[in-house]
Amino acid sequence: MSNKAFLLGDRAVYIAFIVIVLGLPLLISDVFWLNRVARYLVFGMLGIAMALSWGYAGILNLGQGLFFGIGAYMVAMSLKLQSWTSLQQGSDTPVPDFMLWNAQPGAPTDLCCIVPGSWLWIPFQAQWFGIFMAIALPVIVALIIGVTIFRLRVSGVYVAIITLALVLLTRLIFIDAQPITNGFNGLTDLGWLTIGGVEFDPLMIETYYIVAVSVCIVLLLTRWLVSTRAGLILQSTRDDANRARYLGYDVASYQIFFFTVSAAIAGFAGLLFVIVSEFATPTYFDIAFSISMVVWAAVGGRSSLIGAAIGAILINTIEATVSESEMFQQAWRLIIGVLFVLIVLYMPRGLAGLARDILTRLVSLGRTKNPDAANASRNPAE
Amino acid sequence: MKAALTIDALEVNFGGFKAVDRMTTVIDDGELRVILGPNGAGKTTLMDLVSGKTASTGGKVHLYGREITNWPEHLIAREGVGRKFQIPSIFRDLTVLQNLEVAVSQEPRVFRNLRLGMAAADRKRIDEVIDLTGLEPVLETIAGDLSHGQMQWLELGMLITQQSRVILLDEPTAGMTQGETSKTADIILRLKGSHTIIVVEHDMAFVRKIAEKVTVMHMGKLLAEGPIKAIEADPAVREAYLGTGGLH
């Protein structure tokens, strides 16, 4: 009975979220703020990816920034080649400005051989290739990592340590390969995404809608994914992998699949972030950024996709607001840290769990004399 | 009668210590076999070897004529071996109904499971199991909130839902009250005939209630095998249990 009420409540939250996200340009006329919101929506997408792997699969990925960063760099390479800064290097074909600064004297001004490894950039002259790789490369990398660790039955804290190490390793590689990645500075002065002759200026409403619609689609698709039988089986492997094995399931194949989906979402988020922010830097591979994603998901509720998305958007909005004041800016990390500890200790299901408890309380108030209601509505399927 | 499970000279060597040592027994289709033995006799290890949790270092296991020695756990499970653990192993964050839905595992592959809802036949089987185990009132309860007895019945129910041909039960009445033990015996007796069941158990009252044929293990080896009455009178068995006070 109260399960039905819960489902209705859950559906209402999804509808409200989508209506607000799509309707926001009607309320916010300031394009700079709209651009900011678009960035937070991208972080919301990372929250979804985190909830999928941590909440549903029980895989605590402390290196989600790896997939986000790869996605970002892939599309940034294409957009860099479309930038005016790449077209003024005295060559017929685009060459990124920083390569010229790193080139040996007398090196030919062409992507083929201006600096060692610059040929890797050649296919990125086609924008579709960068967009394709922004999803494909995270998927390939996730498959390799996933097959390796899950076939070996690595689990729990060891997955966290391995993913953490991998994102740091990638950060080193990207900084070290300065001639082709521009090192610490990253890829800046990017061109705009161009589809069918239309240029998507990050400050245009249309660009906001690319992000907003993408986030809604990803949210609904992921929601569908976890409600399938495969999603249920995935949750069972999280609770007791051995039991799932003795029921005949190859646990590793479920973990690999959902780990990869989560990586694809993160890569897609990286792609969108570059479109609205116009840069890609190695800070995407920072530990702090990957840990932030964990905090967003924990605050919003890791076992709720939409909870984690809202958690990410909320925290970033608050952070942007308080960072206007110098004093708060210093204290912000401390506040977030304390909040994280408190939530993990006292509210393990995050804001989503809190909302559900309140709804349950209301329903059982409306239907007194039903002591089972509170218990029966604790349905984990989001 | 057709043999369901043939254990042939099975052994495992843990760095010089043979927990199971050239153990041989044949369990017929539809049989209910009880495995007894003092602590450390190798009963649970034998279950581990049959279900694939531990790799054997010698001997063979055949399931309905097909060799399954040292296959990965999930393939042995798909071949028809279901296992219940000593400590209830269920999906604690899922509801009772969801636990049973996971157990309907006719289609184990990821991509084939990317669909909503379930087949009518599967739904029907779940209903039958709910009926058998009496879990109806707690279907929407989170499995981790169940009583100990209910958890045991849920795990048993999952094995039945799974349609295992051979069910391995490791101390199914551990920690149960007398009433719960009696209900468990009823469930097992109702499964007799349609499933082949192997039970490891200490509770002799329970064993006498369900057992036909008993296998006694001692120090990893087969010590005696036969009807419960004969086993209880066997001097070798009494000898093995000496110091633990014999069978009681």
Side-chain angles (χ1 to χ4, degrees):
Chain A
M1 285 188 304
S2 65
N3 243 340
K4 227 171 240 168
F6 160 67
L7 273 176
L8 276 177
D10 190 54
R11 194 157 294 177
V13 173
Y14 271 81
I15 293 171
F17 178 85
I18 292 172
V19 167
I20 290 174
V21 165
L22 296 181
L24 216 55
L26 301 176
L27 300 176
I28 301 179
S29 48
D30 181 350
V31 284
F32 289 97
W33 255 105
L34 210 54
N35 178 268
R36 263 188 175 181
V37 174
R39 294 179 196 203
Y40 304 154
L41 288 181
V42 171
F43 293 149
M45 199 185 258
L46 284 173
I48 297 170
M50 207 63 219
L52 183 64
S53 75
W54 187 22
Y56 279 84
I59 301 164
L60 178 54
N61 182 352
L62 284 188
Q64 194 75 298
L66 173 61
F67 306 122
F68 179 87
I70 293 176
Y73 265 91
M74 289 301 108
V75 81
M77 283 163 81
S78 273
L79 295 185
K80 179 69 186 174
L81 291 176
Q82 285 174 26
S83 156
W84 60 271
T85 59
S86 299
L87 296 170
Q88 299 188 328
Q89 310 305 332
S91 164
D92 296 337
T93 53
V95 175
D97 46 6
F98 64 85
M99 285 191 187
L100 218 68
W101 311 332
N102 286 297
Q104 299 275 345
T109 313
D110 191 275
L111 275 181
C112 76
C113 26
I114 177 165
V115 287
S118 61
W119 54 270
L120 283 168
W121 279 68
I122 291 173
F124 288 91
Q125 292 175 65
Q127 184 190 269
W128 67 263
F129 185 81
I131 290 174
F132 170 76
M133 286 305 278
I135 312 268
L137 196 57
V139 164
I140 294 167
V141 172
L143 272 177
I144 295 171
I145 298 174
V147 167
T148 314
I149 65 178
F150 297 127
R151 287 275 169 234
L152 290 173
R153 296 200 184 166
V154 176
S155 64
V157 69
Y158 299 101
V159 175
I161 293 170
I162 292 173
T163 47
L164 188 80
L166 284 172
V167 74
L168 277 181
L169 182 72
T170 313
R171 181 173 178 275
L172 274 180
I173 294 173
F174 269 78
I175 291 174
D176 199 49
Q178 205 221 339
I180 55 170
T181 61
N182 205 18
F184 273 113
N185 301 315
L187 304 177
T188 50
D189 294 324
L190 302 182
W192 292 340
L193 178 77
T194 312
I195 298 173
V198 183
E199 289 194 315
F200 285 90
D201 176 342
L203 295 179
M204 286 197 323
I205 281 192
E206 286 81 352
T207 312
Y208 172 83
Y209 272 112
I210 289 184
V211 174
V213 171
S214 301
V215 170
C216 293
I217 291 175
V218 164
L219 180 65
L220 292 175
L221 269 181
T222 318
R223 167 74 202 241
W224 169 79
L225 207 55
V226 297
S227 1
T228 62
R229 261 189 73 70
L232 182 64
I233 295 164
L234 176 78
Q235 294 173 63
S236 84
T237 67
R238 170 201 64 199
D239 282 5
D240 191 331
N242 252 330
R243 173 39 74 213
R245 280 190 196 106
Y246 286 109
L247 288 175
Y249 297 111
D250 180 12
V251 170
S253 64
Y254 282 84
Q255 292 173 322
I256 293 165
F257 176 75
F258 282 95
F259 181 73
T260 307
V261 170
S262 171
I265 296 173
F268 186 35
L271 183 165
L272 293 173
F273 195 74
V274 165
I275 292 171
V276 291
S277 70
E278 294 178 278
F279 63 85
T281 81
T283 54
Y284 300 161
F285 301 115
D286 280 354
I287 288 188
F289 185 48
S290 288
I291 302 268
S292 301
M293 296 180 207
V294 176
V295 177
W296 303 338
V299 171
R302 64 181 182 195
S303 55
S304 162
L305 299 171
I306 197 159
I310 292 174
I313 296 166
L314 217 57
I315 289 184
N316 281 289
T317 311
I318 296 171
E319 187 178 349
T321 318
V322 300
S323 66
E324 312 263 317
S325 130
E326 183 94 10
M327 194 186 73
F328 268 120
Q329 200 179 356
Q330 300 296 324
W332 177 246
R333 290 214 160 176
L334 187 70
I335 296 171
I336 275 290
V338 171
L339 186 71
F340 178 63
V341 172
L342 288 178
I343 285 203
V344 167
L345 284 179
Y346 299 109
M347 245 171 68
R349 291 179 300 137
L351 293 176
L354 188 69
R356 190 163 322 153
D357 290 345
I358 291 172
L359 184 71
T360 308
R361 199 67 56 87
L362 287 178
V363 168
S364 53
L365 270 183
R367 271 181 234 254
T368 42
K369 293 176 227 144
N370 186 1
D372 285 341
N375 202 16
S377 67
R378 267 188 57 203
N379 186 336
E382 302 290 309
Chain B
M1 211 182 226
K2 210 168 114 192
L5 189 70
T6 311
I7 297 170
D8 183 14
L10 201 62
E11 66 173 57
V12 63
N13 197 332
F14 293 131
F17 168 68
K18 287 189 175 168
V20 171
D21 188 3
R22 297 192 62 75
M23 174 72 191
T24 299
T25 187
V26 177
I27 290 132
D28 287 331
D29 187 31
E31 192 184 334
L32 195 165
R33 174 76 60 93
V34 176
I35 298 181
L36 291 175
N39 280 333
K43 307 176 300 277
T44 299
T45 311
L46 183 69
M47 298 262 174
D48 287 348
L49 295 175
V50 171
S51 62
K53 189 179 183 202
T54 307
S56 60
T57 50
K60 288 190 167 65
V61 181
H62 288 268
L63 183 74
Y64 290 94
R66 188 154 187 194
E67 193 184 335
I68 57 165
T69 323
N70 296 346
W71 282 15
E73 299 101 315
H74 68 279
L75 292 182
I76 292 180
R78 277 186 222 171
E79 201 61 29
V81 177
R83 169 153 193 201
K84 200 198 148 307
F85 293 87
Q86 225 163 319
I87 299 159
S89 163
I90 52 174
F91 306 123
R92 287 169 182 269
D93 284 341
L94 303 183
T95 66
V96 169
L97 184 61
Q98 284 176 321
N99 267 270
L100 293 171
E101 284 173 354
V102 173
V104 183
S105 56
Q106 293 309 293
E107 178 50 71
R109 280 166 298 182
V110 181
F111 289 98
R112 293 291 181 85
N113 275 314
L114 289 178
R115 57 188 168 78
L116 302 170
M118 55 191 344
D122 291 343
R123 185 60 65 196
K124 187 159 166 278
R125 197 157 77 245
I126 290 180
D127 286 342
E128 287 166 11
V129 172
I130 292 169
D131 205 37
L132 178 74
T133 52
L135 290 169
E136 173 78 50
V138 290
L139 282 184
E140 294 300 327
T141 306
I142 297 295
D145 295 342
L146 292 176
S147 74
H148 182 74
Q150 286 171 323
M151 285 187 192
Q152 301 274 33
W153 296 327
L154 173 59
E155 197 181 6
L156 201 55
M158 286 162 76
L159 300 188
I160 306 162
T161 315
Q162 187 189 356
Q163 282 195 321
S164 307
R165 294 188 284 180
V166 174
I167 298 182
L168 311 177
L169 303 177
D170 202 348
E171 300 203 23
T173 66
M176 279 191 173
T177 64
Q178 235 169 12
E180 288 172 334
T181 303
S182 155
K183 184 179 164 186
T184 307
D186 288 341
I187 296 175
I188 293 176
L189 286 172
R190 279 178 66 181
L191 293 173
K192 204 156 100 176
S194 56
H195 293 75
T196 307
I197 305 169
I198 302 170
V199 188
V200 168
E201 190 49 82
H202 284 297
D203 180 347
M204 282 311 290
F206 174 74
V207 170
R208 287 190 194 98
K209 188 168 177 191
I210 61 166
E212 303 165 327
K213 197 171 173 184
V214 176
T215 297
V216 184
M217 286 180 77
H218 183 47
M219 303 189 63
K221 293 193 179 74
L222 176 70
L223 182 69
E225 197 165 271
I228 178 83
K229 283 274 183 293
I231 290 295
E232 281 182 295
D234 191 327
V237 175
R238 288 179 172 270
E239 178 75 16
Y241 274 90
L242 207 67
T244 59
L247 284 177
H248 52 80

